[in-house]
Amino acid sequence: MTLTTRERELFLAEPHIGALSVAERPDRAPLTVPIWYQYSPGGELWVRTGPDSRKARAIRAAGRFALMAQRTDPTVRYVSVEGPVARIEEDSPERSREMAARYLPADKVDGFVEYDRTRLGGHVLIFMRPEHWISADLGGF
């Protein structure tokens, strides 16, 4: 049921919608939001968000976050990864395009990048160094 290191890294590298979680306040459950993410096996995971967004503020304060990706077909499989923030960088048009191309059909990328640039404001890239992994494939059930 547990995935091998290679299986979990390859799964996380697929374009799933992630569920990002970060401790925000000691008297509340973690802030958990859906998010696009990017990951290459063996590397850092990164997300894009507004520099003053609630999640960006919480991640800066906590210094770490978690992300879970899952699928339900053809089998239930998930990977959850948690680790410290490695760095925060300013976004770039190239990174915006990279992320959009990961999740959108090719004919929608240019329109989204233009919308993102003109309507959504600036972004930062938050990089996480994966330290702790949890994974499973429930395909045998």
Side-chain angles (χ1 to χ4, degrees):
M1 285 180 30
T2 300
L3 302 177
T4 66
T5 299
R6 178 134 176 87
E7 288 171 330
R8 72 185 185 200
E9 288 186 343
L10 289 173
F11 181 81
L12 191 61
E14 295 172 1
H16 304 283
I17 302 299
L20 183 147
S21 290
V22 59
E24 188 176 26
R25 296 181 7 200
D27 63 332
R28 298 273 308 262
L31 171 67
T32 303
V33 294
I35 196 164
W36 290 357
Y37 69 93
Q38 180 62 287
Y39 175 76
S40 294
E44 296 173 327
L45 180 143
W46 59 271
V47 298
R48 294 176 70 240
T49 190
D52 297 317
S53 68
R54 185 174 169 189
K55 64 184 158 289
R57 291 190 313 267
I59 290 169
R60 280 189 187 101
R64 59 191 316 113
F65 65 96
L67 185 127
M68 189 272 302
Q70 71 170 354
R71 72 167 193 217
T72 57
D73 189 39
T75 62
V76 174
R77 180 179 274 200
Y78 72 88
V79 170
S80 180
V81 62
E82 184 264 338
V85 172
R87 66 187 181 284
I88 299 176
E89 298 178 357
E90 290 297 316
D91 193 18
S92 69
E94 295 78 22
R95 292 290 195 165
S96 174
R97 178 168 299 285
E98 177 183 346
M99 189 68 81
R102 177 171 164 83
Y103 287 95
L104 298 175
D107 65 328
K108 302 292 183 189
V109 171
D110 288 340
F112 177 82
V113 170
E114 178 65 18
Y115 176 84
D116 185 48
R117 186 182 67 75
T118 60
R119 303 263 177 101
L120 299 181
H123 285 76
V124 292
L125 308 175
I126 303 175
F127 292 80
M128 180 241 280
R129 186 177 64 253
E131 280 185 344
H132 305 285
W133 296 76
I134 301 171
S135 63
D137 188 330
L138 305 177
F141 296 101

